[in-house]
Amino acid sequence: MTSSNIITRKAHSDGYTCLTFSTDGTHAFTGGSDCAVRIWKVAEGAEQEPGNAIDADQPVTTLAASDDYWLSGSEDGLVRRYIKHKDELHGDVTEETALCVRCIALDEGATRLAVTSDNPSAKVINMENTLKVTTLHGHRHNVRKATWRPKSSILSTSSSDGEIILWDLSGEEPMILHTMDGLIPSVPDPNSPDFLHDCSAVWHPSGEHFFVISKTHDVVCISSKDWTQSGKYVDKDVIGATTALAVSPNGAYLATACQSTVFIWTTDKRQVIARQSVNPGAVITQIAFSPKEHVIAWTDASGNFVRWREPIPLNLPNSVKRLSSATATTTRTGPDAPQVDLFGEADGLSLDNFKDFDDLGDPSAGDKVDFDIDDADFVIDDVGNYLEDKPSRTRGKEDGLVKEMVSITKAQPAFQPGATPFQGNKRFMAYNMLGVIEATRSEQEEYNLVNVDFFDKSARKSFHFNDTHKCHLAYLGERGALFSSDTVVLYKPYGSWTISQNDWTYTFKKADIKVLGICAGGLTPSRSLKNNSDSDLMGFGNVVVATSEGHLIFLSGTGRERRILALGGDFVTMVAGDEWVMVVYRAGATTIDGSQSLCYKMYHFDDFSVRQRDELPIPKGHTLKWIGISQEGAPVIYDSAGLVHLVAKHRVPHHATWVCVLDTNLLERRAGKDESYWPIGISASAFMCLILKGRQEYPGFPRPLVQELPLRMPFNTQNEKEEEIERELLFKEIAMESLDGDELSTDDILSKERAIDKEFVVLIQNACKEDNINRAVELTKLLHNLQTFDIVAKIADFYHLVGFKEKVMVLKRIREDSEDRFEAAREKRRRWNKIDTRPQRLPDVDVDVSGFGARPKAFQDFGPPPAVYRPGLTRATPSVEGTKYTSLSSDLPSEDTWSEPLLTPSFPTSEKRKRDEFEDVEMDTQQSDMSSSISVPPPPLKQKANPFARKPVTEVNKNPFARKAGSKTIKQSESFFEKVDAAENTPVKSKKKGSNLGKNKEQDKSEGPRQQTLFGLFGANQNGEKKGSVKRKTGLTPPVVEELESQASDVTMAEVSQTIETQPEGWEETQLNEDEL
């Protein structure tokens, strides 16, 4: 259809809108949430200025018209009557006190008016006497819609709980003819978007059946003979919920509105013959055929009023021309159904009129077309060759001329796996095997409430937050949840929901860049992530963002930009695994035969190399519905044809193949049911999904339960065991390919092999029964364990198959002599994966890998606290210095002699030794010169070390002033008590070199000892003057040092302690300076 046939005009503000035509078809009336009714002239274009009836105080909800007047109902509870074709108010018909009027309907003679409101009872008002009112009681909930059966007194009413009641009003009292419960959707909330959808019973002009939108969003036909379903209008191109419908005046066509698209069906063949979409995204709320003109009009939730002139193709009768009774009443199809005279012989039209046309012209140009109504593939593209139409062929009836009508396939847009559009104020942003991300619009529409719920509560902690960015994309990964709006990317690693330092955002410098898709990958965590696990060395995974510029942006789990790659096509969707990301894109344009031309690339996270690339196995005329990952880690896709494909050998570079593992059309549960599936994930034996009834496209709320359907490869064989074994072998090979570099096998793989061998034994036994030795040998070669060969040999003995037994034993010897199959498989993996080695799982920080013990978590360690090392409190350990000045005796004191009394040792004859000017006196004891009867006691039982104990040679904190080891002999120095006496008795003299200090020492020997400090070598003189100081010469001459007497052995701590304790009272402690010595 040409664009000149479409007339669009903004009529009302956003919200619910309603529509009706006048009985003569010259005017159209529209009402909306702006409390006004617009009066349009159908013959005029969009530039006209409509009439306005603005008497309503609240939004107008329903309209009706007769030959003499037109009516409006609004939420203020009033039904108003206006003069024909004018906006002049005539008066009020009725009033529903404090209730919203939902629907008004006039019967065919305009003598009775049915009124429904937010009340379980409906009213029937006599228009000749409006005070005569009949109340209909029977519904349990509010009545939403009411319609009259043509040429009868039967009224149908629809309530908000999904119930339809048919009333017979021919008598004085209303009578219920039939009740249909559960046929239409139950929508009790007037604020729900589904409440705007039409739920009325739209009667066929013949009155023999009516059409209604079922709760599965299908349009069904209900016969008035037995009130049962007689047909359903289903087409693969009609996707989504049907929101409105209308029947043409002649009953030949049915118009349905699916969201923002209008489809026109033939009522007899139930085929779509035309479609139109004007305002994408605007939900159509009401649609109607003009009773006199070849026009369809509708209004949508955006307030638009659209008229479609000549919607029926010109090669078919229009919507107004009357047809024969057979055509108007026949709706059955099939081989036993009567043939339909769509064009009506009584009206002078039949298929014979088009028989002589050999050339197919353009329908929009008005040429006659040879149309075969039996061709189910006939679809007319009326939106400028944009929508997806299957190519069809028309054949001449006599000369066999073939004429093709070619249209271009609509390209599939980008989508996020597991995401749904808003249904009311809620939607699913992500739905996979880990959990669900739900978004709820706030009442102020300033933010969205995002709820992340995990299926395994023990592994991850659910959370929610207020999304001020209003993200419309989300991905639930192994290491974190990823969100994105058009310009902002938000990443929330698991375990940090109460701590925001791990969250990060990523924005673009260019304002015109938009995000088309996101995903987050990473290794499966080895433990629970409910708490903030910063001890896991694997990090937060990897993030990939697809932009409108055709780029793939790779980010680390902490937000570090790593690489920007060019995709080389139109992005469609992607999914991330533990070490790779699989991106689906369209390298070129779609083809005319219905192919989407989708391809994929698999990028490795470590080096960004392309490990796999291939085309997607999407059948022609179908689209990709879902992409995900199996429990074994292999990529999986699901298309609109109901096929599930898996990528085998995805870890072997450039060796991947597509394997069809399920055809949902062959499921046993689908027999006799009209349902589809919303995939969640797959395993080796089950297909996890949500069940969608009828034409339902997305799962709704409340959240449905995940169903497990048996996974069956679509083999044509009748032997189910063979299919099961091949499927188990496939997933076992995938598990083998996923092993690490040094792993040979796992317990899970070994158990799978044992189970497969048991199945093989059963098949081998059946082959032996059937005497099919070749099949038995073939199956024997596939055995895994050597023990199974012995079992097969016993089976051969049981069936007396000697030759087969010999072959079995030969196969066993070959298996024994050959290389171990696990090692061979490992070497094969290594050859394949020389570059692509599987990432190694790093240990956690609190895992003991060094032998020092694991570090427990905070507040979870209930053991004793660890010992604190304090060097000052350690027990002193006696040590023997291995020098020539130490005792040659190796006898060390024992702890038993620790409490013995101190013994006073006797010192040998003292000798003098030389010392440097600033050297300290060494307290070393030469045990070789001491009496052998003296036993040196060990240090006392105290934590503090003995300060007088000789330290080892390797001691770090050694006295810097101690004498270095040399060749000089250590001699006994003179008693410092005698030095103090000499210092006191010697008069003060001027300092000079060579003082007679030795002479004073001779004199001091005769006097008694005097108490000194143990460290008196540098003590101050009582008179404050230095005596006997040694002056250092200037220049290069070394200083002259006097030779002093020294003891032959060092003083022990025991000797000093005993000496101090025996000092007489009154003695003073004196220190001597080194210079005075």
Side-chain angles (χ1 to χ4, degrees):
M1 297 301 163
T2 60
S3 58
S4 60
N5 293 338
I6 304 298
I7 302 175
T8 304
R9 177 70 182 272
K10 182 72 172 179
H12 304 277
S13 59
D14 294 349
Y16 180 77
T17 54
C18 53
L19 165 71
T20 191
F21 279 98
S22 62
T23 56
D24 57 6
T26 58
H27 290 75
F29 306 90
T30 61
S33 58
D34 54 0
C35 309
V37 177
R38 311 280 190 235
I39 305 173
W40 308 84
K41 294 181 181 180
V42 178
E44 297 183 6
E47 69 280 355
Q48 65 173 303
E49 188 65 28
N52 296 318
I54 55 175
D55 301 288
D57 296 330
Q58 293 187 21
V60 178
T61 57
T62 179
L63 296 168
S66 69
D67 295 337
D68 301 324
Y69 51 84
W70 62 275
L71 306 172
S72 70
S74 58
E75 292 185 1
D76 56 9
L78 290 175
V79 178
R80 296 174 175 87
R81 175 162 36 185
Y82 291 85
I83 298 176
K84 181 180 179 179
H85 300 168
K86 296 182 180 180
D87 55 4
E88 183 178 347
L89 179 64
H90 182 272
D92 297 337
V93 178
T94 185
E95 180 179 2
E96 298 290 333
T97 306
L99 295 176
C100 299
V101 176
R102 296 301 178 184
C103 180
I104 55 176
L106 284 168
D107 64 355
E108 194 170 20
T111 58
R112 288 179 291 186
L113 175 68
V115 181
T116 65
S117 60
D118 290 344
N119 196 319
S121 60
K123 290 182 180 181
V124 178
I125 302 173
N126 191 330
M127 293 304 295
E128 297 179 356
N129 183 9
T130 56
L131 298 179
K132 187 177 181 180
V133 179
T134 302
T135 305
L136 306 179
H137 299 283
H139 286 285
R140 298 183 299 270
H141 291 77
N142 300 339
V143 184
R144 295 176 55 191
K145 296 291 184 178
T147 54
W148 293 90
R149 179 183 178 182
K151 303 176 183 180
S152 70
S153 298
I154 296 177
L155 177 70
S156 63
T157 56
S158 306
S159 62
S160 59
D161 61 348
E163 183 183 50
I164 296 178
I165 297 180
L166 298 161
W167 307 82
D168 185 4
L169 302 179
S170 59
E172 295 182 357
E173 295 294 333
M175 182 179 61
I176 296 178
L177 290 178
H178 187 73
T179 300
M180 307 179 70
D181 195 5
L183 178 61
I184 61 177
S186 175
V187 188
D189 185 11
N191 297 323
S192 173
D194 292 343
F195 196 84
L196 304 180
H197 299 175
D198 192 1
C199 65
S200 59
V202 179
W203 289 89
H204 191 272
S206 65
E208 294 189 1
H209 49 268
F210 65 84
F211 306 93
V212 68
I213 303 173
S214 66
K215 63 180 180 181
T216 59
H217 305 290
D218 298 321
V219 178
V220 296
C221 181
I222 305 298
S223 174
S224 60
K225 295 180 179 180
D226 52 3
W227 308 113
T228 59
Q229 180 177 331
S230 61
K232 182 185 296 186
Y233 290 78
V234 180
D235 190 271
K236 65 180 182 63
D237 296 328
V238 181
I239 301 174
T242 302
T243 59
L245 71 164
V247 179
S248 64
N250 59 4
Y253 307 104
L254 174 68
T256 63
C258 183
Q259 299 298 325
S260 60
T261 305
V262 174
F263 297 88
I264 300 179
W265 310 67
T266 57
T267 55
D268 51 357
K269 294 294 184 179
R270 305 191 187 108
Q271 297 175 1
V272 176
I273 61 172
R275 71 185 72 186
Q276 184 63 264
S277 180
V278 179
N279 300 304
V283 178
I284 297 175
T285 57
Q286 195 161 0
I287 188 172
F289 280 89
S290 173
K292 300 296 182 180
E293 300 291 335
H294 188 29
V295 176
I296 296 178
W298 64 83
T299 57
D300 55 38
S302 298
N304 298 310
F305 172 51
V306 182
R307 283 170 286 170
W308 184 8
R309 299 181 183 276
E310 298 181 355
I312 309 301
L314 298 180
N315 61 300
L316 297 177
N318 59 38
S319 61
V320 181
K321 187 175 182 61
R322 296 181 60 85
L323 304 178
S324 64
S325 59
T327 304
T329 58
T330 303
T331 58
R332 298 194 309 271
T333 59
D336 57 343
Q339 294 299 322
V340 179
D341 184 13
L342 176 63
F343 302 98
E345 288 290 336
D347 298 318
L349 289 176
S350 67
L351 290 175
D352 295 336
N353 295 94
F354 302 95
K355 205 171 194 179
D356 297 332
F357 289 93
D358 296 334
D359 297 331
L360 181 64
D362 185 5
S364 63
D367 297 334
K368 299 295 184 179
V369 180
D370 183 10
F371 174 72
D372 186 4
I373 196 66
D374 294 329
D375 188 358
D377 294 336
F378 179 81
V379 179
I380 293 180
D381 185 6
D382 53 348
V383 195
N385 290 339
Y386 181 70
L387 295 178
E388 176 186 352
D389 291 337
K390 187 174 181 180
S392 60
R393 295 180 178 179
T394 58
R395 298 181 180 271
K397 301 299 181 180
E398 293 180 352
D399 57 2
L401 175 65
V402 177
K403 184 72 174 181
E404 292 188 357
M405 301 176 61
V406 179
S407 62
I408 299 177
T409 304
K410 180 182 178 181
Q412 181 178 2
F415 70 95
Q416 194 72 12
T420 67
F422 272 103
Q423 303 178 47
N425 60 343
K426 302 190 71 175
R427 62 168 294 207
F428 292 115
M429 299 184 69
Y431 210 135
N432 57 22
M433 293 299 296
L434 296 179
V436 183
I437 299 180
E438 300 174 354
T440 305
R441 287 175 177 166
S442 63
E443 296 180 357
Q444 297 80 11
E445 297 186 357
E446 296 178 355
Y447 60 89
N448 293 337
L449 177 61
V450 177
N451 179 39
V452 180
D453 189 16
F454 295 99
F455 297 138
D456 188 0
K457 305 292 185 181
S458 62
R460 297 173 178 86
K461 183 179 179 181
S462 301
F463 69 100
H464 64 272
F465 66 97
N466 293 334
D467 177 22
T468 57
H469 301 289
K470 293 186 178 181
C471 298
H472 61 277
L473 301 177
Y475 191 93
L476 207 58
E478 291 286 351
R479 294 280 171 171
L482 185 63
F483 305 89
S484 175
S485 62
D486 287 337
T487 57
V488 178
V489 178
L490 171 64
Y491 188 57
K492 287 181 169 290
Y494 298 145
S496 62
W497 312 129
T498 57
I499 306 175
S500 60
Q501 71 267 18
N502 291 331
D503 299 352
W504 53 266
T505 58
Y506 178 80
T507 57
F508 301 96
K509 294 181 179 179
K510 296 182 179 179
D512 57 343
I513 298 179
K514 292 185 178 180
V515 179
L516 300 181
I518 55 175
C519 67
L523 286 175
T524 304
S526 58
R527 59 181 182 177
S528 174
L529 293 177
K530 293 185 67 174
N531 299 321
N532 191 13
S533 179
D534 56 355
S535 62
D536 194 342
L537 297 181
M538 297 309 301
F540 297 140
N542 298 273
V543 174
V544 183
V545 179
T547 67
S548 57
E549 289 189 333
H551 289 161
L552 295 177
I553 302 177
F554 287 78
L555 306 169
S556 67
T558 58
R560 178 176 60 89
E561 262 185 303
R562 301 180 60 201
R563 201 67 54 90
I564 298 179
L565 302 181
L567 180 59
D570 296 334
F571 172 81
V572 178
T573 187
M574 61 181 171
V575 66
D578 54 357
E579 54 181 333
W580 47 262
V581 56
M582 180 177 178
V583 183
V584 179
Y585 67 101
R586 184 182 301 100
T590 59
T591 60
I592 61 176
D593 59 352
S595 175
Q596 290 290 330
S597 302
L598 297 182
C599 304
Y600 80 92
K601 290 181 182 179
M602 186 177 292
Y603 296 89
H604 200 271
F605 281 135
D606 290 341
D607 54 3
F608 311 104
S609 60
V610 178
R611 299 308 169 91
Q612 307 291 347
R613 69 173 74 208
D614 198 359
E615 296 181 356
L616 262 64
I618 305 298
K620 294 180 180 179
H622 294 275
T623 57
L624 178 64
K625 288 295 184 181
W626 172 80
I627 183 172
I629 301 176
S630 67
Q631 289 186 351
E632 292 74 18
V636 189
I637 64 171
Y638 176 78
D639 55 42
S640 59
L643 301 177
V644 179
H645 289 85
L646 178 142
V647 181
K649 297 187 181 301
H650 66 280
R651 296 201 69 251
V652 182
H654 309 294
H655 283 69
T657 56
W658 288 103
V659 180
C660 184
V661 296
L662 179 65
D663 185 357
T664 58
N665 301 298
L666 302 179
L667 292 175
E668 296 180 358
R669 63 164 288 128
R670 195 166 185 177
K673 296 181 181 179
D674 186 10
E675 64 182 21
S676 57
Y677 309 99
W678 181 265
I680 302 298
I682 73 166
S683 64
S685 60
F687 173 61
M688 276 70 73
C689 64
L690 304 178
I691 307 298
L692 305 179
K693 298 296 184 180
R695 288 164 53 195
Q696 185 180 4
E697 186 180 3
Y698 306 103
F701 293 90
R703 187 194 311 167
L705 297 177
V706 177
Q707 304 291 331
E708 292 188 8
L709 304 184
L711 194 66
R712 296 289 183 268
M713 299 174 70
F715 283 5
N716 295 320
T717 179
Q718 300 298 326
N719 194 337
E720 295 183 357
K721 283 294 183 181
E722 294 182 0
E723 181 275 331
E724 182 180 354
I725 291 176
E726 291 300 325
R727 177 165 39 85
E728 291 177 354
L729 285 174
L730 171 65
F731 285 93
K732 192 266 294 184
E733 292 174 359
I734 295 176
M736 289 286 291
E737 294 167 3
S738 300
L739 293 176
D740 294 336
D742 296 331
E743 285 185 315
L744 293 177
S745 182
T746 60
D747 295 338
D748 186 26
I749 294 177
L750 294 176
S751 62
K752 287 182 179 180
E753 290 182 347
R754 288 192 293 268
I756 294 174
D757 282 355
K758 292 180 181 179
E759 301 295 338
F760 274 139
V761 169
V762 175
L763 295 180
I764 292 172
Q765 184 179 7
N766 295 334
C768 292
K769 287 182 182 180
E770 299 173 357
D771 200 17
N772 192 349
I773 304 303
N774 293 328
R775 174 63 65 87
V777 173
E778 177 184 339
L779 296 175
T780 304
K781 294 179 181 179
L782 301 177
L783 295 176
H784 299 89
N785 301 304
L786 291 175
Q787 297 83 356
T788 315
F789 286 88
D790 298 332
I791 298 175
V792 175
K794 293 180 181 180
I795 294 176
D797 285 337
F798 180 80
Y799 290 100
H800 306 287
L801 301 174
V802 181
F804 175 57
K805 180 180 179 181
E806 293 178 355
K807 295 178 181 179
V808 172
M809 301 311 296
V810 171
L811 292 176
K812 180 181 179 182
R813 287 194 298 270
I814 294 175
R815 182 69 62 84
E816 290 175 345
D817 297 338
S818 61
E819 184 183 1
D820 183 78
R821 58 189 179 89
F822 291 115
E823 294 181 356
R826 183 178 62 182
E827 294 301 324
K828 189 176 182 181
R829 292 195 304 271
R830 288 177 176 176
R831 291 195 304 269
W832 281 344
N833 303 327
K834 287 183 179 179
I835 301 176
D836 185 11
T837 57
R838 185 171 179 82
Q840 300 294 323
R841 185 182 298 277
L842 299 177
D844 298 333
V845 174
D846 53 6
V847 175
D848 183 17
V849 294
S850 60
F852 294 101
R855 184 183 65 187
K857 294 182 179 180
F859 306 106
Q860 297 185 13
D861 182 16
F862 302 100
V868 179
Y869 176 70
R870 294 184 175 89
L873 300 180
T874 57
R875 176 179 296 180
T877 303
S879 61
V880 179
E881 184 179 5
T883 64
K884 64 182 180 179
Y885 304 112
T886 57
S887 174
L888 298 177
S889 177
S890 61
D891 297 333
L892 295 176
S894 61
E895 293 185 0
D896 297 336
T897 62
W898 190 259
S899 59
E900 295 181 1
L902 297 176
L903 300 178
T904 304
S906 60
F907 294 92
T909 306
S910 62
E911 297 180 0
K912 290 186 178 181
R913 64 173 180 173
K914 294 183 179 180
R915 297 189 310 154
D916 292 336
E917 181 178 1
F918 295 103
E919 289 183 350
D920 196 1
V921 178
E922 296 186 1
M923 306 299 293
D924 299 334
T925 303
Q926 298 183 4
Q927 297 184 3
S928 60
D929 297 336
M930 298 173 60
S931 176
S932 61
S933 62
I934 298 177
S935 62
V936 180
L941 287 173
K942 296 190 299 183
Q943 296 294 331
K944 189 174 182 180
N946 182 9
F948 295 97
R950 172 177 288 277
K951 295 179 176 55
V953 178
T954 59
E955 182 70 27
V956 178
N957 297 326
K958 186 176 180 181
N959 183 8
F961 301 100
R963 171 181 286 275
K964 278 70 176 180
S967 60
K968 294 182 179 181
T969 303
I970 300 177
K971 298 181 180 181
Q972 185 177 7
S973 61
E974 187 175 289
S975 175
F976 58 86
F977 301 109
E978 297 176 354
K979 297 176 183 179
V980 172
D981 294 338
E984 292 179 351
N985 297 330
T986 303
V988 179
K989 296 181 180 180
S990 60
K991 296 181 181 180
K992 64 180 181 178
K993 182 178 178 181
S995 61
N996 54 355
L997 182 60
K999 182 178 180 181
N1000 294 333
K1001 290 181 179 179
E1002 296 290 342
Q1003 183 178 358
D1004 294 337
K1005 290 182 179 180
S1006 60
E1007 298 181 3
R1010 192 174 178 87
Q1011 184 176 0
Q1012 302 277 331
T1013 61
L1014 297 180
F1015 304 97
L1017 298 180
F1018 298 97
N1021 190 4
Q1022 294 178 358
N1023 299 328
E1025 299 178 359
K1026 296 182 180 180
K1027 295 183 180 182
S1029 60
V1030 181
K1031 295 183 179 180
R1032 189 180 302 272
K1033 292 183 179 181
T1034 60
L1036 301 178
T1037 305
V1040 179
V1041 182
E1042 294 182 351
E1043 295 184 358
L1044 302 177
E1045 294 182 355
S1046 177
Q1047 298 179 353
S1049 62
D1050 294 335
V1051 181
T1052 63
M1053 184 182 69
E1055 298 169 352
V1056 175
S1057 301
Q1058 186 176 6
T1059 304
I1060 293 175
E1061 291 176 358
T1062 56
Q1063 296 301 328
E1065 297 181 359
W1067 284 53
E1068 295 182 358
E1069 187 176 29
T1070 307
Q1071 295 181 352
L1072 296 178
N1073 293 330
E1074 183 67 19
D1075 295 339
E1076 297 177 353
L1077 299 178

